[in-house]
Amino acid sequence: MCISAEALALFLNLIAAPISTEPGRIIVHATEQDAHWVQVEDRWCTMAPQIQGREMFAELAKDDA
């Protein structure tokens, strides 16, 4: 998922999680796990939704076994 810098700034101002930064990367230290946002040209991208989805399906598959 990628969003504009303005949308990321709004998001970061709305959440209460601590963040850390380094050039081209913002890390949101959320309750469950860290979410890494990486700058790609003029947008900021994260794999957090895909990672969370894979983990959820892995848990469901484990429960079915």
Side-chain angles (χ1 to χ4, degrees):
M1 170 174 75
C2 295
I3 59 177
S4 68
E6 294 83 10
L8 179 60
L10 179 62
F11 168 70
L12 294 175
N13 283 312
L14 290 173
I15 63 171
I19 63 168
S20 57
T21 62
E22 56 189 63
R25 180 180 300 267
I26 296 173
I27 304 167
V28 178
H29 303 285
T31 306
E32 293 290 322
Q33 66 186 35
D34 290 349
H36 294 252
W37 288 87
V38 180
Q39 188 173 18
V40 180
E41 297 177 8
D42 63 339
R43 300 182 62 79
W44 287 86
C45 303
T46 185
M47 291 290 293
Q50 292 90 337
I51 292 168
Q52 291 170 338
R54 282 195 298 261
E55 290 173 353
M56 181 181 65
F57 284 122
E59 281 295 316
L60 290 172
K62 184 171 67 174
D63 290 344
D64 287 342

